[in-house]
């Protein structure tokens, strides 16, 4: 409701990699009724919620400050969905085919997709998209803190909030060694450089930020040591 409904991005996973084939194609109309959320398993609702967290972190610091005080059961979904869609629509209207600004929507998705791809073929270990992106947002916030874009206290708040909702996924150092190279498959890269969309501050994101392999390892080690 808050992500794929807006901006016409249609991607499919191919040969174990996320969204490697796709087109931009807007539908004639999108109908959303929050009542359908009642048909979802809790885990699926929580997965979609990750994109709401993302939208607030990249575009609305006031909404993030409010969100921090609430658990997932405390949200008015109609208002929350409207607000989240408005953020996404504002970005995709300015840059429908992801030449620049739209890349901010990939915050949490570079290492998040690598984590998701890693677990895709592992029987019984599959992470839902939002669960992987939740990890991605923690590790990519660590990178933003490392680059002094956000404060250590802000990293801590983001980490604590996400962990409270999603819990911690056990990832071993050996698995990190397999996950980090998967970022080289990310569709946002140019040549062999891995480009990230990071929080420039709470409520604003930047994009095309070059991150080294070592920084990615350190970011993942931050998560696994939590
Ligand atoms: N889901 C990110 C985008 O539509 O660009």
């Amino acid at each position: 409701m808050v992500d794929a409904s807006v901006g016409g991005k249609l991607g499919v996973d191919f040969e174990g990699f996320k969204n490697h084939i796709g087109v931009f194609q807007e539908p004639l109309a999108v109908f959303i009724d929050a009542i359908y959320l009642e048909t979802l398993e809790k885990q699926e609702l929580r997965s979609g919620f990750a994109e709401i967290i993302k939208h607030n972190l990249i575009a609305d610091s006031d909404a993030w400050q409010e969100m921090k005080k609430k658990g997932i059961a405390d949200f008015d979904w109609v208002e929350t969905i409207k607000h989240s869609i408005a953020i996404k629509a504002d970005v995709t209207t300015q840059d429908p085919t992801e030449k620049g600004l739209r890349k901010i929507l990939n915050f949490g998705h570079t290492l998040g997709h690598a984590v998701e791809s890693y677990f895709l073929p592992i029987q019984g270990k599959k992470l839902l998209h939002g669960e992987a992106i939740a990890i991605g947002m923690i590790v990519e916030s660590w990178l933003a803190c490392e680059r002094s874009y956000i404060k250590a206290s802000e990293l801590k708040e983001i980490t604590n909030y996400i962990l409270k909702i999603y819990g911690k996924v056990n990832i071993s150092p050996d698995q990190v060694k397999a996950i980090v190279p998967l970022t080289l498959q990310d569709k946002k890269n140019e040549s062999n450089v891995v480009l990230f969309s990071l929080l420039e501050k709470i409520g604003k994101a930047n994009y095309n930020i070059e991150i080294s392999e070592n920084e990615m390892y350190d970011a993942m080690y931050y998560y696994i040591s939590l």
Side-chain angles (χ1 to χ4, degrees):
M1 290 179 184
V2 299
D3 189 10
S5 64
V6 185
K9 190 188 268 186
L10 305 164
V12 291
D13 302 343
F14 181 64
E15 301 207 332
F17 296 110
K18 291 291 300 169
N19 293 344
H20 265 224
I21 300 175
V23 293
F24 290 101
Q25 176 65 55
E26 288 283 5
L28 291 178
V30 176
F31 298 92
I32 294 173
D33 191 328
I35 200 163
Y36 288 105
L37 295 177
E38 291 170 24
T39 69
L40 292 179
E41 298 288 343
K42 272 200 178 126
Q43 200 191 350
E44 291 284 355
L45 184 72
R46 199 179 70 159
S47 174
F49 187 65
E51 304 290 348
I52 295 174
I53 300 175
K54 179 191 82 179
H55 286 160
N56 288 344
L57 283 172
I58 64 172
D60 190 338
S61 63
D62 290 345
W64 164 247
Q65 301 307 335
E66 279 308 302
M67 165 176 249
K68 266 182 348 194
K69 300 175 198 154
K70 295 190 200 166
I72 196 161
D74 305 323
F75 286 84
D76 171 339
W77 290 124
V78 174
E79 287 311 310
T80 305
I81 290 165
K82 273 193 204 160
H83 173 262
S84 214
I85 285 177
I87 290 175
K88 177 151 184 192
D90 182 48
V91 174
T92 57
T93 307
Q94 292 181 63
D95 177 19
T97 53
E98 203 165 318
K99 298 282 185 288
L101 180 70
R102 186 170 178 159
K103 294 181 188 180
I104 66 170
L105 298 169
N106 293 318
F107 164 59
H109 285 62
T110 304
L111 277 158
H113 272 166
V115 169
E116 189 180 5
S117 296
Y118 174 79
F119 285 108
L120 269 180
I122 300 181
Q123 213 74 31
K125 287 275 194 181
K126 187 175 178 298
L127 286 179
L128 295 180
H129 177 68
E131 294 171 326
I133 293 324
I135 298 172
M137 287 192 286
I138 291 178
V139 297
E140 295 181 19
S141 295
W142 184 90
L143 290 168
C145 185
E146 189 65 7
R147 293 285 170 107
S148 302
Y149 296 139
I150 63 168
K151 299 185 200 118
S153 58
E154 293 168 330
L155 169 64
K156 203 168 169 199
E157 279 176 355
I158 294 168
T159 303
N160 290 346
Y161 187 69
I162 292 176
L163 284 186
K164 196 170 73 184
I165 292 177
Y166 296 90
K168 165 101 185 288
V169 176
N170 279 325
I171 300 176
S172 69
D174 278 350
Q175 287 175 317
V176 169
K177 283 194 191 119
I179 288 167
V180 168
L182 294 175
T183 57
L184 293 169
Q185 303 295 330
D186 195 283
K187 62 188 183 301
K188 297 180 293 302
N189 299 333
E190 284 160 22
S191 312
N192 253 2
V193 173
V194 183
L195 300 174
F196 278 70
S197 306
L198 299 178
L199 296 178
E200 190 177 314
K201 59 182 188 176
I202 300 289
K204 192 170 188 316
N206 48 25
Y207 54 90
N208 288 349
I209 308 296
E210 249 180 67
I211 295 289
S212 70
E213 228 179 321
N214 279 347
E215 287 173 296
M216 287 193 273
Y217 280 108
D218 287 345
M220 287 301 298
Y221 292 141
Y222 166 70
Y223 180 81
I224 68 175
S225 65
L226 286 168

